[in-house]
Amino acid sequence: MKHVLALLALLAPGLAAAQAPGQGSDQGPPAEAAWVSKRTAQLQALDKVTARITVLDAQVGRPVDFGSLNITVRACNARPPDEVPDAAAYIEVRDSLLPPTAPLAFRGWMLANAPAAHMLEHPVYDLRILECR
C-alpha cells in the first residue's frame, strides 16, 4: 500500500491538471518522477459474461464505450524508453445502466505493472491499462 501511495504522490500534479483543466499548474509531473505525458491509453476490457476481451484505444479526454460502461481517460503517463516500461492512467468510468446521479463506477489511477492495486470492481466488466502512447 505504501508503494501505491508513493506512486500517487508522484502522479498527483498530473491528477490536479486532469481534474481542473485550465486551473492547475502548467507543470507536468516532477522531473524525479520520470513520467512522460501521453495522449492515448490502450485499455483491455473484459466482459465476464461472454468472456469477450476487447482492446480499446482511448484518447485523453474523449469517452469510449464498452458494453454499458462509458470510459474517460483524464491523464495517461508512461515511463521514458530508457527506464522499465510502465503506464499509469487516471480513468473515470460511468455505468450507463445506473441513474445519471449515481456515483461513478470507478475514478482513479490504474497502473499497468500493478493492475490489482486499484481496479474497477464491477459485476460484469473488468478493465485494465496496458500502455500509454
Side-chain angles (χ1 to χ4, degrees):
M1 183 67 172
K2 288 182 182 179
H3 298 294
V4 172
L5 293 176
L7 179 60
L8 291 177
L10 292 173
L11 297 173
L15 172 60
Q19 288 180 331
Q23 296 180 1
S25 169
D26 289 336
Q27 298 174 355
E32 65 272 12
W35 289 94
V36 179
S37 182
K38 301 290 184 175
R39 298 296 308 152
T40 303
Q42 188 175 57
L43 307 171
Q44 179 178 303
L46 166 68
D47 182 325
K48 298 177 194 176
V49 175
T50 64
R52 177 179 62 132
I53 296 174
T54 303
V55 175
L56 306 167
D57 286 325
Q59 291 183 357
V60 173
R62 291 199 172 176
V64 295
D65 293 323
F66 179 75
S68 66
L69 299 182
N70 181 271
I71 304 158
T72 305
V73 176
R74 297 291 179 193
C76 196
N77 299 320
R79 291 284 189 185
D82 60 335
E83 293 192 27
V84 175
D86 196 7
Y90 188 81
I91 300 173
E92 295 177 348
V93 179
R94 181 171 299 282
D95 191 335
S96 64
L97 297 179
L98 299 176
T101 56
L104 294 172
F106 178 86
R107 175 187 286 158
W109 288 98
M110 284 191 181
L111 310 170
N113 284 351
H118 197 206
M119 55 193 270
L120 169 70
E121 294 180 17
H122 193 276
V124 179
Y125 304 108
D126 274 343
L127 183 69
R128 65 176 293 195
I129 175 78
L130 296 177
E131 66 176 322
C132 293
R133 297 185 257 151

